[in-house]
Amino acid sequence: MSALPAGLEEAVAWHDTECAGYSVDLPLWRELASEHPGPLLDIGCGSGRVALELAALGHEVTGVDSDPALVHALASRARERGLHVRAETADARSFDLGRRFALAIAPMQVVQLLGGERGRAQMLDTVRRHLDPSGVLAAALADPFEGIPAEDALPPLPDTLELSGWVFSSTPVAVRPERDATAIYRVRQAAGPDGSLIETAATVRLDTLSPETLEREAETAGYKALGRRRVPESDGYVGSTVVILEVR
């Protein structure tokens, strides 16, 4: 088993393989950014899929993510494109940026990766302290089994990406319901130009969370529900419901 060459950061490569190609939700984030002008916070920004898109449209964007490699990738890409994006390494449940925002967004089920109700409560409180009066939080939720029986659900096709002569492939091999969560099991393969192959396993667990539950938790945390928006299903990706919450 070989290591990736210098210049290819593993966390960034897999994040880009599995997430960077997703674009169906971008029109909604653009729409919300226009509806709520002012500084914008991208929670769980990763390597910049949404943050760079919105910054290129002239929005003032700050991105936070707990993985320093992804934050570094976002900062580097913003510099390369001549965009001003503030990138911070921080936990969504406990960051302190010393400023406020008109809009905070949590794309791609970030709020389902916080370890359950307690983690969400911490996140809701932290975000509320960073929002302007009447500021808005928009959070995307997904149910991998939505509309079909769990036993009939089939994993989507592999996600693939070519970087510096290496081909990255991430194949979801199983999607299984667990207590209060859904586990998505992946096999990751990186094939080098010399024929070398690196294979690893990865598991992502999404907390089971309905829009109604998030709205109820947010009410307790000092928000009011403003409605929901829908991101449609697309090839390889389930649809999602974006819950819109306003600071009371």
Side-chain angles (χ1 to χ4, degrees):
M1 193 161 128
S2 204
L4 294 179
L8 275 182
E9 170 59 53
E10 182 177 359
V12 177
W14 289 121
H15 182 274
D16 286 350
T17 299
E18 295 167 358
C19 301
Y22 184 60
S23 61
V24 179
D25 63 340
L26 292 178
L28 176 56
W29 304 126
R30 291 195 294 262
E31 183 179 311
L32 288 170
S34 296
E35 291 174 2
H36 304 280
L40 184 152
L41 177 63
D42 181 3
I43 303 166
C45 61
S47 57
R49 183 183 68 90
V50 180
L52 295 171
E53 170 82 9
L54 297 179
L57 295 173
H59 297 288
E60 181 184 348
V61 181
T62 296
V64 296
D65 199 285
S66 60
D67 190 319
L70 298 179
V71 172
H72 177 74
L74 167 56
S76 297
R77 292 170 185 183
R79 286 194 299 271
E80 290 167 2
R81 301 179 194 187
L83 300 174
H84 179 68
V85 177
R86 182 179 176 185
E88 300 282 352
T89 302
D91 191 307
R93 294 161 289 198
S94 59
F95 60 86
D96 184 1
L97 303 178
R99 61 176 307 190
R100 291 181 179 269
F101 301 88
L103 173 68
I105 63 172
M108 289 196 83
Q109 299 78 60
V110 168
V111 297
Q112 291 172 267
L113 297 170
L114 300 176
E117 183 176 356
R118 183 170 182 270
R120 291 193 299 274
Q122 292 170 331
M123 180 276 296
L124 288 167
D125 182 63
T126 296
V127 173
R128 182 176 50 77
R129 289 187 283 104
H130 285 80
L131 287 173
D132 292 332
S134 299
V136 166
L137 166 63
L141 306 178
D143 177 1
F145 297 125
E146 184 177 17
I148 55 174
E151 62 272 15
D152 293 338
L154 296 176
L157 296 174
D159 298 308
T160 59
L161 184 69
E162 191 276 331
L163 290 170
S164 303
W166 284 71
V167 177
F168 294 84
S169 175
S170 177
T171 305
V173 294
V175 181
R176 296 174 184 157
E178 297 181 348
R179 181 179 179 181
D180 300 325
T182 297
I184 302 170
Y185 298 90
R186 288 180 173 269
V187 172
R188 292 171 169 174
Q189 292 182 324
D194 60 354
S196 58
L197 181 68
I198 301 173
E199 183 171 290
T200 56
T203 303
V204 174
R205 285 181 170 82
L206 295 179
D207 294 333
T208 301
L209 181 62
S210 68
E212 293 81 6
T213 298
L214 180 59
E215 288 166 349
R216 185 172 62 251
E217 293 173 352
E219 178 76 18
T220 301
Y223 298 80
K224 65 179 179 180
L226 288 186
R228 304 170 189 171
R229 307 284 180 91
R230 184 68 186 169
V231 176
E233 182 178 347
S234 63
D235 290 342
Y237 295 94
V238 298
S240 60
T241 298
V242 177
V243 175
I244 312 296
L245 305 166
E246 182 183 65
V247 175
R248 287 203 305 268

